[in-house]
Each structure stands twice: as C-alpha cells, then as structure tokens.
C-alpha cells in the first residue's frame, strides 16, 4: 500500500470496485471513471477517488483510470494479486 493504513470502510468497498473493474475489463473497457465506479458501488464519485487515493492510484482528469492497472492495484491491496502455493493434507 502506498500510504500505509487504509480505513476499514475503504477496505470493505475494495472488493466491490474489483468486481466492477473485472466486469469492465470483460466488456472490453480500457478506461473508466470515478462516476462509473461510484454508480456500480453505490457511493459518490468523491468517495471512490478518496478510496483509490489510499492505494496511491490517481486517475487522469478527463480520461479516468486505466482498468487493467487499477484492477492490479486493488487486487494487490486486497492480497489477491499473488498466487500462493498450498498443500492440503488429510485423511
């Protein structure tokens, strides 16, 4: 994380943003705006921008956010960007 502590309320919204970003990527969208993410998450655009600022991610005014990069940043913040080797043992 770029700025250290991320508030719990923001962490709770990150999976919603990630799901929206995944859907946008599947639809072929290369960029998105805080307005689109806000509508999908049920919050206002200022809240989206504030939440994403905790990740150190900044969109470009008039262009928005790169969907692929933002997906990576949100995944990384949630700890789901890495694959972890796992062994399951049992009888």
């Amino acid at each position: 994380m770029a700025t250290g502590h991320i508030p719990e309320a923001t962490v709770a919204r990150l999976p919603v943003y990630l799901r929206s970003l995944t859907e946008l990527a599947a639809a072929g969208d290369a960029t998105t705006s805080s307005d689109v993410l806000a509508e999908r998450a049920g919050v206002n655009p200022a809240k989206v921008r504030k939440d994403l600022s905790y990740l150190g991610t900044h969109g470009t005014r008039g262009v928005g956010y790169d969907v692929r990069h933002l997906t990576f940043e949100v995944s990384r913040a949630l700890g789901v960007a890495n694959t972890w080797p796992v062994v399951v043992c049992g009888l």
Side-chain angles (χ1 to χ4, degrees):
M1 266 70 49
T3 61
H5 178 73
I6 299 176
E8 286 183 38
T10 297
V11 172
R13 286 186 292 273
L14 290 179
V16 177
Y17 299 150
L18 183 58
R19 184 173 42 253
S20 296
L21 290 164
T22 302
E23 291 169 356
L24 290 167
D29 295 339
T31 59
T32 190
S33 67
S34 57
D35 291 332
V36 170
L37 289 174
E39 183 179 324
R40 289 171 167 260
V43 296
N44 66 50
K47 179 70 69 183
V48 171
R49 290 189 295 273
K50 177 73 171 175
D51 289 346
L52 297 179
S53 74
Y54 287 111
L55 307 179
T57 303
H58 305 285
T60 304
R61 178 176 228 115
V63 176
Y65 297 93
D66 179 274
V67 170
R68 222 171 109 179
H69 178 71
L70 189 54
T71 299
F72 172 76
E73 290 295 330
V74 174
S75 296
R76 188 173 63 113
L78 290 171
V80 296
N82 300 325
T83 55
W84 302 96
V86 177
V87 176
V88 179
C89 301
L91 297 206

